Amino acid sequence: MNEPQQKWTETIEADHSLFDLKLREVWRYKDLIYMFVKRDFISSFKQTILGPIWFFINPIFTTITYLIIFGKFAKLSTDGAPGIVFYLSGVTLWNYFSGALLGTTATFTGNANIFGKVYFPRLVTPLSIVISNLMRLSVQFILFFIVWAYYFFNNEISPNWWILATPLLLILMALFALGVGMIFSALTTKYKDLSMLLAFGITLYMYATPVIYPVSMLPGYFKKLAKFNPLTGIFECFKYGWLGVGDFSPVMLVVSTIIILILLVIGVVTFNKVEKTFMDTV
């Protein structure tokens, strides 16, 4: 008698397109993404006294520091917006981007023990990091909204309809962090010293991004150069929409979107290429 043929529920293949995100397969593992997000969120408060309050403490102290150093001493322009809400808007966005980027870059090195034991779409890990940082952002955004509401009801800021672009801005930042993070996560499997340089590089990148200053204060050449920074259009649009200040034009957002999509494609190709052999080098 012929034995009945087995029907496999999962087929793992070595060869697949470098451009394939395998989103259908990722969707099947959505419960795993939820577990990773929950793990990251809970581990942030484990063995801490203040718990979620730390999400408020960080932007508050950072904003006060910027207000004293860059507002009082350096006297950098805020385009007429109140210093506290101006710096807090930049800090809130930057905390999300830097957290998501640093977390994504550790995808392979930080999860090698899991990847070596069980199969699941590797894209699940960086996606869960981006989403868990979105949850942290939502908590910090509450603080920003409270401060923003105070100045709004005191008629010290003039928001406009560009405030509705906020979800798009967050998606673009998430894709940017995901794309660049996947590139560095692939490179650090072979060149581990890159992870040491990355933290320093992100600090330098913050000063190249309009977090603590508006683009309008930059001289002509540097202003043109700043517009090729993918985060410039995002930060300027956010401040323009919520605070009514800034040197923003829709073209800046279009440039940011194009650059981010290009980096995302490069990140996907690099990530897919390295995931086949990273266990040999990590």
Side-chain angles (χ1 to χ4, degrees):
M1 295 180 64
N2 294 328
E3 295 183 1
Q5 293 183 345
Q6 292 180 322
K7 294 183 179 180
W8 302 102
T9 58
E10 189 74 43
T11 303
I12 302 174
E13 299 176 341
D15 296 324
H16 58 81
S17 173
L18 293 178
F19 295 93
D20 185 15
L21 280 172
K22 297 180 286 187
L23 294 180
R24 183 179 298 178
E25 190 177 6
V26 170
W27 175 252
R28 288 171 51 195
Y29 283 82
K30 58 183 178 295
D31 292 337
L32 184 59
I33 295 178
Y34 169 77
M35 290 177 60
F36 281 156
V37 171
K38 184 179 179 180
R39 179 200 64 181
D40 293 342
F41 198 74
I42 292 176
S43 64
S44 300
F45 311 128
K46 195 173 182 180
Q47 295 180 332
T48 62
I49 298 175
L50 299 178
I53 297 178
W54 282 112
F55 285 166
F56 293 104
I57 293 176
N58 178 282
I60 288 174
F61 278 92
T62 304
T63 299
I64 293 174
T65 302
Y66 289 170
L67 184 64
I68 294 173
I69 296 176
F70 301 109
K72 300 299 182 183
F73 290 105
K75 297 187 182 300
L76 296 183
S77 171
T78 59
D79 276 346
I84 292 179
V85 71
F86 180 87
Y87 291 121
L88 184 59
S89 63
V91 168
T92 302
L93 292 183
W94 181 258
N95 281 349
Y96 169 68
F97 172 75
S98 60
L101 178 57
L102 285 172
T104 306
T105 55
T107 296
F108 287 121
T109 56
N111 297 279
N113 58 333
I114 301 177
F115 289 170
K117 295 177 181 178
V118 63
Y119 172 79
F120 58 87
R122 303 315 185 198
L123 190 62
V124 163
T125 307
L127 281 176
S128 66
I129 293 170
V130 169
I131 295 172
S132 63
N133 277 277
L134 274 176
M135 294 180 64
R136 295 185 178 94
L137 172 65
S138 64
V139 176
Q140 294 186 355
F141 200 87
I142 294 173
L143 173 64
F144 167 75
F145 185 80
I146 293 172
V147 175
W148 174 87
Y150 170 80
Y151 286 103
F152 173 72
F153 287 111
N154 282 279
N155 298 316
E156 296 187 48
I157 52 177
S158 303
N160 53 64
W161 287 107
W162 276 100
I163 203 171
L164 299 177
T166 301
L168 172 63
L169 302 181
L170 298 182
I171 291 173
L172 287 175
M173 273 202 306
L175 293 178
F176 186 33
L178 184 64
V180 177
M182 287 193 296
I183 293 173
F184 275 94
S185 68
L187 293 176
T188 51
T189 59
K190 189 174 182 180
Y191 308 104
K192 292 182 173 57
D193 49 351
L194 282 178
S195 59
M196 303 175 188
L197 294 173
L198 185 62
F200 177 68
I202 288 180
T203 301
L204 290 180
Y205 186 44
M206 188 196 77
Y207 292 106
T209 302
V211 177
I212 58 176
Y213 59 84
V215 172
S216 60
M217 69 165 285
L218 296 175
Y221 175 77
F222 289 100
K223 183 183 293 186
K224 293 179 181 178
L225 195 62
K227 292 179 181 179
F228 288 97
N229 176 358
L231 290 183
T232 297
I234 296 173
F235 276 68
E236 285 295 293
C237 181
F238 185 85
K239 292 177 181 177
Y240 180 73
W242 285 87
L243 310 181
V245 301
D247 187 16
F248 171 72
S249 69
V251 176
M252 296 170 64
L253 204 56
V254 172
V255 172
S256 296
T257 303
I258 293 173
I259 295 175
I260 288 171
L261 292 179
I262 292 173
L263 289 173
L264 181 63
V265 171
I266 295 174
V268 169
V269 171
T270 308
F271 190 88
N272 283 344
K273 184 176 181 180
V274 170
E275 74 166 310
K276 300 177 184 178
T277 58
F278 85 97
M279 286 304 297
D280 299 328
T281 57
V282 76

